[in-house]
Amino acid sequence: MSDQTKPADPEKEKRKIKAVGKMKEIMTAYYIEAKTAEQTGRKIAWITSGGPVEPLIAMDVIPVYPENHGAMIGAAKMGPDLCEKAESMGYSRDLCSYARADIACAPVNGGPIGGLPKPDMLICCNNICGTVLKWYQVQARYFGVPLFIFDTPFCHTVFSAEARRYVRRQVDEYIQFLEDACKRRLDKDRMQAVGRLSLEGQRLWQAVLDTTAHKPAPMSAFDAFFQLALIVTLRGTQTVVDYYTALLAEMKERIENRISAVPKETYRLLWDNLPVWYRTRWLSEKFAAHEACLVADTYTSAWCGTIKYIDENDFLGSMAEAYSRIYLNIGVDEMANNVIAMIDKYRVDGVIMHSNRSCKPYSFGQYDIRKIIQRERGVPVLLIEADMVDERSFSESQVETRIDAFMEVLK
Amino acid sequence: MKEIQLFQDIVARPYDYARNWKKEHSRKIVGHFCSYTPEEIIYAAGALPFRIFGSGDAVSRSDEHLQAYSCSFVRSALADGLTGKLDFLDGTVFPHTCDTIQRLSDIWRINSGPGFHTDIGLPVKLNTASAGEYLKNTFKKFKTELSGNLGTDISADALISTAVLFNRLRRDMQRIFDLRREDPTVISGGDLQTIVKASMIMDRDAFSENLSAVVDNLKAAPSRPPKPLKRLVLSGGMCNISSMHALIEDCGAAIVRDDSCSGARYFEGAIRPDGDIIESIAERYIEKIECPAKHADLFRRGEALVETAKTSRADGVIFLFLKFCDPHAFDYPYIKGLLDKEGVASMLLEIEAPLPSEEQVKTRCQAFLETL
Ligand code: SF4
Ligand code: SF4
């Protein structure tokens, strides 16, 4: 987001979340650390956004997230260029734009931060999609580094006993893989401590998201899209705990002082699917102009949705189930139940579904979820066609018309 | 050849065949979508494993459930499931394959597709001991579930004789593929594709019998003068456009090897008919060359295709993908690069069923053949 140097509007200033500056600092320091890892002798692992990062933290490996990179590329509006480049390399335009952008970045160190630091290893957990498997295979061939696949069988209706045993065995294989790569044993106490911090971080993140149940909401989903970065990248560190503790305090303060994300919050909406990274500002202003606030979303809550499966005293053991049952690795009906629970919890008046060409596992099933929530809660649903990074699949005028029409229905 | 005519009649109207078969034999039919379905277990249970290709009719019914960026195979299968075309099915089985099939399973279940519904939570990895153990356990669990759903026991004897039958028909199929590789005039690519399809929907005993007759006929056939045809290898996923092979061959080519999911790869390997028979069945699935939605090795699929192109003395390779099929699309640049390095020409044909324009496909094929 571009910071304009106009005289500050006090009304707007008041609404700015103060923690943002700190977050930028932390993320900058994190990327500098990752980019200089070669000099400091630390290892780098590329890992999928839903992957088990805690053992990496416990082993002092720096986790790097190509998907987070994808989001940065999208927000910097560099998506179409890089996607086209991937297409010229032979990758179909119908593939996930995170994958396309990242694959195209690697050989040229492109993108907003001059490419990601080279990986020493790749950790791919398929609990979000099958795309990451293919994407990480591509990168494993390109970088010639070891690839660990953490295979979490899809839980259509159950997490079977067979699957539990399989995933649990892989936790041990994963640790072995890291010990081989780092030529060091895992410190069990350290692992346990990281596990506790991870859980604490997730609880705090959930608490932050919960504050928007308040009317008016102190922050919006657009803020959550930004604030999310830490729980994704540095889960399991004290930094995350400290940051979200402060953020939570700020949100509570805002509630007390009746500072809301949207000046006159009349309508409360729920967002489904990934953000449209290159249009977050535009969308947020668009909804605000209709006095609507996106108070919750299914995306950012995915990083704290499986707290109930985690056993504080046996993090590694319980991690198998927690990582297998995340939001995208469950059946459409269970997803619909989650959405319904959110509609109730956040007292939502309408749902915006981003039908995201890039993300098939997130988008296929949306029509049925729409039907289910309309039946169960009678809440209107708007579907907008877009893509999270590839702006070529976005028609501003069409989306605008649809939002305007939808808001008329709500009114 | 009358045996081939029989296959053609069945493949032209697979749903009619299934309905009649069911009536005649008073047996059950289990539909499925993927070459990793343990068809052996279904057949040993006395039921007919029936691969759903989708008829391509009334696809608009799918629009209520799936966005336009889903592959046409899944759209057409779902439409058939929702419009009662598959009402002869006693159940449907969904092995874990790609992101699209995964959601198809949910949508199918929520909207009560015909009969019982079973997900087989296959591993994505096939190259580790724990994945192997998990796959075997998954098949064992499937056997128990299936036997409950069909209300029948599945005996070890039945499994063994099914394994023997499947081994035989897979071997016979490999024979035809080999005969044709040596001499593409023995049988047309279109006819061979018809046999392949029949093998996925027909009563397997009847199929095997008829197939043996075909093999004998082909072997006995007098050799014909060779035709100056370009030799092509097809590579790709599931092809549900029945005219595709004929369309390509009519441009002046012979498809000497079809390496796709619905081609030779489906018939690879044999089951060791001893030990724990479910485990033996599972081992074949673990060992055969993986589909692109699975992981066994970073290089094996590409190297295998180069090898196939060489051993079949191919002039070129056509990649035949369904549009919106992610697993294949991701592998394409790498595998094409390998072929380039070996000096094997290739072309990518991205298709959708029904084909928007046969002419366009023909033009592209002809242009490609001219460059060879
Ligand atoms: S956007 Fe969807 S398809 Fe792409 S990596 Fe994420 S979960 Fe996978
Ligand atoms: S054709 Fe591709 S996308 Fe479609 S079901 Fe098969 S593997 Fe999935």
Side-chain angles (χ1 to χ4, degrees), chain A residues 94 130 134 137 141 149 151 154 156 165 169-170 173 328 330 332-333 355 360-361 363 367-368, chain B residues 63-65 67 69 99 102-103 106 109 111 119 124-125 130 133-134 292 295 298 323 326 330-331:
Chain A
D94 301 322
K134 301 310 294 176
Q137 286 176 336
R141 279 190 292 260
I149 295 161
D151 184 9
F154 197 83
H156 286 283
R165 180 175 156 78
R169 280 188 70 180
Q170 290 178 80
E173 291 162 14
L328 278 184
I330 55 175
V332 163
D333 34 358
S355 165
K360 297 183 170 85
S363 303
Y367 293 3
D368 280 86
Chain B
D63 292 343
E64 296 162 31
H65 301 274
Q67 285 91 332
Y69 45 91
D99 292 336
Q102 179 178 291
R103 288 299 176 214
D106 288 336
R109 179 168 49 79
N111 295 285
D119 289 302
V124 160
K125 276 192 291 196
S130 59
E133 178 201 66
Y134 173 61
H295 177 83
L298 291 170
K323 188 163 169 60
D326 293 352
F330 265 111
D331 275 0

Side-chain angles (χ1 to χ4, degrees), chain B residues 57-122:
Chain B
D57 304 339
V59 174
S60 58
R61 266 310 294 277
S62 293
D63 292 343
E64 296 162 31
H65 301 274
L66 279 170
Q67 285 91 332
Y69 45 91
S70 51
C71 79
S72 59
F73 157 54
V74 158
R75 300 170 63 70
S76 138
L78 179 63
D80 287 358
L82 294 174
T83 51
K85 288 210 171 74
L86 297 170
D87 56 4
F88 55 86
L89 293 179
D90 293 283
T92 317
V93 172
F94 294 82
H96 180 83
T97 310
C98 65
D99 292 336
T100 309
I101 288 275
Q102 179 178 291
R103 288 299 176 214
L104 173 71
S105 165
D106 288 336
I107 294 169
W108 196 277
R109 179 168 49 79
I110 293 171
N111 295 285
S112 1
F116 64 82
H117 186 109
T118 306
D119 289 302
I120 310 184
L122 297 178

Side-chain angles (χ1 to χ4, degrees), chain B residues 202-273:
Chain B
M202 257 182 92
D203 180 301
R204 302 301 194 272
D205 285 281
F207 173 80
S208 178
E209 225 169 89
N210 202 41
L211 181 67
S212 302
V214 172
V215 176
D216 292 344
N217 283 340
L218 292 182
K219 276 198 200 144
S223 65
R224 280 165 259 205
K227 284 192 202 157
L229 297 170
K230 299 283 186 217
R231 299 171 63 88
L232 293 180
V233 167
L234 280 195
S235 174
M238 144 98 202
C239 176
N240 58 345
I241 301 172
S242 35
S243 58
M244 207 58 208
H245 286 68
L247 204 74
I248 294 173
E249 292 203 329
D250 285 350
C251 299
I255 298 164
V256 289
R257 197 76 176 176
D258 176 350
D259 202 38
S260 62
C261 302
S262 47
R265 254 199 344 247
Y266 176 68
F267 304 100
E268 260 164 32
I271 303 162
R272 261 186 315 103

Side-chain angles (χ1 to χ4, degrees), chain A residues 82-107:
Chain A
L82 286 164
C83 286
E84 267 169 34
K85 181 164 188 321
E87 286 148 34
S88 72
M89 293 162 79
Y91 293 95
S92 159
R93 184 173 168 173
D94 301 322
L95 294 171
C96 164
S97 52
Y98 275 176
R100 271 181 293 151
D102 179 61
I103 290 170
C105 253

Side-chain angles (χ1 to χ4, degrees), chain A residues 67 96 98 128-129 131-132 135 274 328 356 358-362 388, chain B residues 99:
Chain A
E67 288 157 76
C96 164
Y98 275 176
I128 46 172
C129 63
T131 282
V132 287
W135 172 5
L274 277 80
L328 278 184
N356 180 356
S358 266
C359 191
K360 297 183 170 85
Y362 214 149
M388 69 221 170
Chain B
D99 292 336

